[in-house]
Amino acid sequence: MTIKHHLNDDLLMAYAAGNLSEAFSLAVATHISLCDECRAALAAYEAMGGAILEGGADLALMSEDALVRAMARLDALPAPAASPKKPKHPVLPAPLQDYVGTDLSAIKWRKLGMGVRQAILPTKGKGGSARLLYIPAGQAVPDHGHRGMELTLVLKGAFRDETQHFARGDIEIATEADEHTPVALGDEDCICLAVTDAPLRFNALIPRLMQPIFRI
Ligand SMILES: [Zn+2]
């Protein structure tokens, strides 16, 4: 599996610092469970946080020297070991199994129309909602923009938006400025984890009317 679309530094740092909502933490943890590269980057951020805490220093108050020393200690850390190669990955990685179990066929989907289905995950707190989206092969998710940020992580199959292609493990980070129409690619149905920090904003009238009902 070659992952092309990764988490950004802001998300990794916020996750390392424990500053993300449960829904966003779930998306980050799920990507990290599939991605050696982001797992290594996270380990570095966590080590940096630890080094700063150990020194009893606040980053803002730290002298340049102390920061350089902390970074040097970070460089000296051994690289995290690559995850052991398993013969077959389950579609639902471990972080998601706490929410939906391991059995894809046991997920209680709700229809969104055009064959698209969703299952809202029971995350607590404000600051985001998480759902699994099921998109039949060749089908598009209704055209939508966002308020805030949306993370879409592919678990099965693949989708493309206007310009890019996303396969298992890839995470799309869409912001308020992005209008996109994800389309499931190939002949395999696509399952994604989608996390938003505000309700999606649909452009077509019908989905907009359905928005309060489906909480999307
Ligand atoms: Zn990654």
Side-chain angles (χ1 to χ4, degrees), residues 25-71:
S25 294
L26 175 62
V28 171
T30 306
H31 176 81
I32 282 169
S33 75
L34 298 169
C35 179
D36 292 341
E37 196 175 316
C38 287
R39 194 179 314 122
L42 176 69
Y45 282 123
E46 283 174 338
M48 184 157 73
I52 290 165
L53 283 178
E54 254 172 57
D58 183 329
L59 188 55
L61 302 173
M62 237 173 152
S63 70
E64 204 175 318
D65 266 10
L67 192 56
V68 168
R69 281 199 303 276
M71 294 299 287

Coordinates of all heavy atoms in Angstrom, one line a residue, residues 25-71:
S25 N -9.5 13.3 16.4 CA -8.5 12.4 16.9 C -8.7 11.0 16.2 O -7.7 10.3 15.9 CB -8.6 12.2 18.4 OG -8.3 13.4 19.0
L26 N -9.9 10.6 16.1 CA -10.2 9.3 15.5 C -9.7 9.2 14.0 O -9.1 8.2 13.6 CB -11.8 9.0 15.5 CG -12.2 7.8 14.8 CD1 -11.6 6.5 15.5 CD2 -13.8 7.7 14.8
A27 N -9.9 10.3 13.3 CA -9.4 10.3 11.9 C -7.9 10.2 11.8 O -7.3 9.5 11.1 CB -9.9 11.5 11.1
V28 N -7.3 11.0 12.7 CA -5.8 11.0 12.8 C -5.3 9.7 13.2 O -4.4 9.1 12.6 CB -5.3 12.1 13.7 CG1 -3.8 12.0 14.0 CG2 -5.6 13.5 13.2
A29 N -5.9 9.1 14.3 CA -5.4 7.8 14.8 C -5.6 6.7 13.7 O -4.7 5.8 13.5 CB -6.1 7.4 16.0
T30 N -6.7 6.8 13.0 CA -6.9 5.8 11.9 C -5.9 5.9 10.8 O -5.4 4.9 10.3 CB -8.4 5.9 11.4 OG1 -9.3 5.8 12.5 CG2 -8.7 4.7 10.5
H31 N -5.6 7.1 10.4 CA -4.6 7.3 9.3 C -3.3 6.8 9.8 O -2.6 6.0 9.1 CB -4.5 8.7 8.9 CG -3.4 8.9 7.9 ND1 -3.5 8.7 6.5 CD2 -2.1 9.4 8.0 CE1 -2.4 8.9 5.9 NE2 -1.5 9.4 6.8
I32 N -2.9 7.1 11.0 CA -1.6 6.7 11.6 C -1.5 5.2 11.7 O -0.4 4.7 11.5 CB -1.4 7.4 12.9 CG1 -1.0 8.9 12.7 CG2 -0.3 6.7 13.8 CD1 -1.0 9.8 13.9
S33 N -2.6 4.6 12.0 CA -2.6 3.1 12.0 C -2.2 2.5 10.7 O -1.8 1.3 10.6 CB -3.9 2.6 12.6 OG -4.9 2.6 11.6
L34 N -2.4 3.2 9.6 CA -2.2 2.7 8.3 C -0.9 3.3 7.6 O -0.5 2.8 6.6 CB -3.4 3.0 7.3 CG -4.7 2.5 7.7 CD1 -5.8 3.1 6.9 CD2 -4.7 1.0 7.5
C35 N -0.3 4.3 8.3 CA 0.7 5.1 7.6 C 2.0 5.1 8.4 O 2.0 5.8 9.5 CB 0.2 6.5 7.3 SG 1.4 7.5 6.5
D36 N 3.1 4.5 8.0 CA 4.3 4.5 8.7 C 4.9 5.9 8.8 O 5.5 6.3 9.8 CB 5.3 3.5 8.0 CG 4.9 2.1 8.2 OD1 4.1 1.8 9.1 OD2 5.4 1.2 7.4
E37 N 4.8 6.6 7.7 CA 5.4 7.9 7.6 C 4.8 8.9 8.6 O 5.6 9.6 9.3 CB 5.2 8.5 6.1 CG 6.0 9.6 5.7 CD 5.8 10.0 4.3 OE1 5.7 9.1 3.4 OE2 5.7 11.2 4.0
C38 N 3.5 9.0 8.7 CA 2.9 9.9 9.7 C 3.1 9.3 11.1 O 3.2 10.1 12.0 CB 1.4 10.0 9.4 SG 1.1 11.1 7.9
R39 N 3.2 8.0 11.3 CA 3.4 7.5 12.6 C 4.8 7.9 13.1 O 5.0 8.3 14.3 CB 3.4 5.9 12.6 CG 3.3 5.3 14.0 CD 3.2 3.8 14.0 NE 2.2 3.4 13.0 CZ 2.5 2.5 12.0 NH1 3.7 2.1 11.8 NH2 1.5 2.2 11.2
A40 N 5.8 7.9 12.2 CA 7.1 8.4 12.6 C 7.2 9.9 12.9 O 7.8 10.3 13.8 CB 8.1 8.1 11.4
A41 N 6.4 10.6 12.1 CA 6.4 12.1 12.3 C 5.7 12.4 13.7 O 6.1 13.2 14.4 CB 5.6 12.8 11.2
L42 N 4.6 11.6 14.0 CA 4.0 11.8 15.2 C 4.9 11.5 16.4 O 4.9 12.2 17.4 CB 2.7 10.9 15.3 CG 2.0 11.0 16.7 CD1 1.3 12.3 16.9 CD2 0.9 9.9 16.8
A43 N 5.7 10.4 16.3 CA 6.6 10.0 17.3 C 7.6 11.1 17.6 O 7.9 11.4 18.7 CB 7.3 8.7 17.0
A44 N 8.0 11.8 16.5 CA 8.9 12.9 16.7 C 8.3 14.1 17.4 O 8.9 14.7 18.3 CB 9.4 13.4 15.3
Y45 N 7.0 14.4 17.1 CA 6.3 15.5 17.8 C 6.1 15.1 19.2 O 6.2 16.0 20.1 CB 5.0 15.8 17.1 CG 5.1 16.6 15.8 CD1 4.6 16.2 14.6 CD2 5.8 17.9 15.9 CE1 4.8 16.9 13.5 CE2 5.9 18.6 14.7 CZ 5.4 18.1 13.5 OH 5.6 18.9 12.4
E46 N 5.7 13.9 19.5 CA 5.5 13.5 20.9 C 6.8 13.5 21.7 O 6.8 14.0 22.8 CB 4.9 12.1 20.9 CG 3.4 12.1 20.5 CD 2.8 10.7 20.4 OE1 3.6 9.7 20.2 OE2 1.6 10.6 20.6
A47 N 7.9 13.1 21.0 CA 9.2 13.2 21.7 C 9.6 14.7 22.0 O 10.1 15.0 23.1 CB 10.3 12.5 20.9
M48 N 9.3 15.5 21.0 CA 9.6 16.9 21.2 C 8.8 17.5 22.4 O 9.3 18.2 23.3 CB 9.3 17.7 20.0 CG 9.7 19.2 20.0 SD 10.0 19.9 18.4 CE 8.3 20.0 17.8
G49 N 7.5 17.1 22.4 CA 6.6 17.6 23.5 C 7.2 17.1 24.8 O 7.3 17.8 25.8
G50 N 7.6 15.8 24.9 CA 8.1 15.2 26.1 C 9.4 15.9 26.5 O 9.6 16.2 27.7
A51 N 10.3 16.2 25.5 CA 11.6 16.8 25.9 C 11.3 18.2 26.5 O 12.0 18.6 27.4 CB 12.4 17.0 24.6
I52 N 10.3 18.9 26.0 CA 10.0 20.2 26.5 C 9.4 20.1 27.9 O 9.8 20.8 28.8 CB 9.1 21.0 25.5 CG1 9.8 21.3 24.2 CG2 8.5 22.2 26.2 CD1 8.9 21.7 23.1
L53 N 8.5 19.2 28.1 CA 7.9 19.0 29.4 C 8.9 18.6 30.4 O 9.0 19.1 31.5 CB 6.8 17.9 29.3 CG 5.5 18.3 28.7 CD1 4.5 17.2 28.7 CD2 4.9 19.5 29.5
E54 N 9.8 17.6 30.0 CA 10.9 17.1 30.9 C 11.7 18.3 31.4 O 12.1 18.3 32.6 CB 11.8 16.2 30.2 CG 11.6 14.7 30.5 CD 12.4 13.8 29.6 OE1 13.6 14.1 29.6 OE2 11.8 13.0 28.9
G55 N 12.0 19.2 30.5 CA 12.9 20.3 30.9 C 12.1 21.3 31.8 O 12.6 22.3 32.2
G56 N 10.8 21.1 32.0 CA 10.0 22.0 32.8 C 9.8 23.3 32.1 O 9.5 24.3 32.8
A57 N 10.0 23.4 30.8 CA 10.0 24.7 30.1 C 8.7 24.8 29.3 O 8.2 23.9 28.7 CB 11.2 24.8 29.3
D58 N 8.3 26.0 29.1 CA 7.2 26.4 28.2 C 7.9 26.8 26.9 O 8.9 27.6 26.9 CB 6.5 27.6 28.8 CG 5.3 28.0 28.0 OD1 5.4 27.8 26.7 OD2 4.3 28.4 28.5
L59 N 7.4 26.3 25.8 CA 8.1 26.6 24.5 C 8.2 28.1 24.3 O 9.3 28.5 23.8 CB 7.2 26.0 23.4 CG 7.9 26.0 22.0 CD1 9.2 25.3 22.0 CD2 6.9 25.3 21.0
A60 N 7.2 28.8 24.7 CA 7.2 30.3 24.5 C 8.3 30.9 25.3 O 8.9 32.0 24.9 CB 5.9 30.9 24.8
L61 N 8.7 30.3 26.4 CA 9.7 30.9 27.3 C 11.1 30.4 27.1 O 12.0 30.8 27.7 CB 9.3 30.7 28.8 CG 7.9 31.2 29.2 CD1 7.5 30.8 30.6 CD2 7.8 32.8 29.1
M62 N 11.1 29.4 26.3 CA 12.4 28.6 26.1 C 13.4 29.5 25.4 O 13.1 30.2 24.4 CB 12.1 27.4 25.2 CG 12.5 26.1 25.9 SD 11.9 24.8 24.8 CE 13.0 23.6 25.2
S63 N 14.7 29.4 25.9 CA 15.7 30.1 25.2 C 16.0 29.4 23.9 O 15.7 28.2 23.7 CB 17.0 30.2 26.0 OG 17.5 28.9 26.1
E64 N 16.6 30.1 23.0 CA 16.9 29.5 21.7 C 17.8 28.2 21.9 O 17.7 27.2 21.3 CB 17.6 30.5 20.8 CG 17.5 30.2 19.3 CD 18.0 31.3 18.4 OE1 17.8 32.4 18.7 OE2 18.7 30.9 17.5
D65 N 18.8 28.4 22.8 CA 19.7 27.3 23.2 C 19.0 26.1 23.6 O 19.3 25.0 23.2 CB 20.6 27.8 24.3 CG 21.9 28.3 23.8 OD1 22.0 28.6 22.6 OD2 22.8 28.6 24.7
A66 N 18.0 26.3 24.5 CA 17.3 25.1 25.1 C 16.5 24.4 24.0 O 16.4 23.2 23.9 CB 16.4 25.6 26.2
L67 N 16.0 25.2 23.1 CA 15.2 24.6 22.0 C 16.1 23.8 21.1 O 15.8 22.7 20.7 CB 14.5 25.8 21.2 CG 13.4 25.3 20.2 CD1 12.3 24.5 20.9 CD2 12.8 26.6 19.5
V68 N 17.3 24.4 20.8 CA 18.2 23.7 19.9 C 18.6 22.4 20.6 O 18.7 21.3 20.0 CB 19.5 24.6 19.7 CG1 20.6 23.7 19.0 CG2 19.1 25.7 18.7
R69 N 18.8 22.4 21.9 CA 19.2 21.2 22.7 C 18.1 20.1 22.6 O 18.3 19.0 22.4 CB 19.6 21.5 24.1 CG 21.0 22.1 24.3 CD 21.5 21.9 25.8 NE 20.5 22.6 26.7 CZ 20.6 23.9 27.0 NH1 21.5 24.7 26.5 NH2 19.7 24.4 27.9
A70 N 16.9 20.6 22.8 CA 15.7 19.7 22.7 C 15.6 19.1 21.3 O 15.4 17.9 21.2 CB 14.4 20.5 23.0
M71 N 15.8 19.9 20.3 CA 15.8 19.3 18.9 C 16.9 18.3 18.7 O 16.7 17.3 18.0 CB 15.9 20.5 17.9 CG 14.7 21.4 17.9 SD 13.1 20.7 17.6 CE 13.2 20.4 15.8

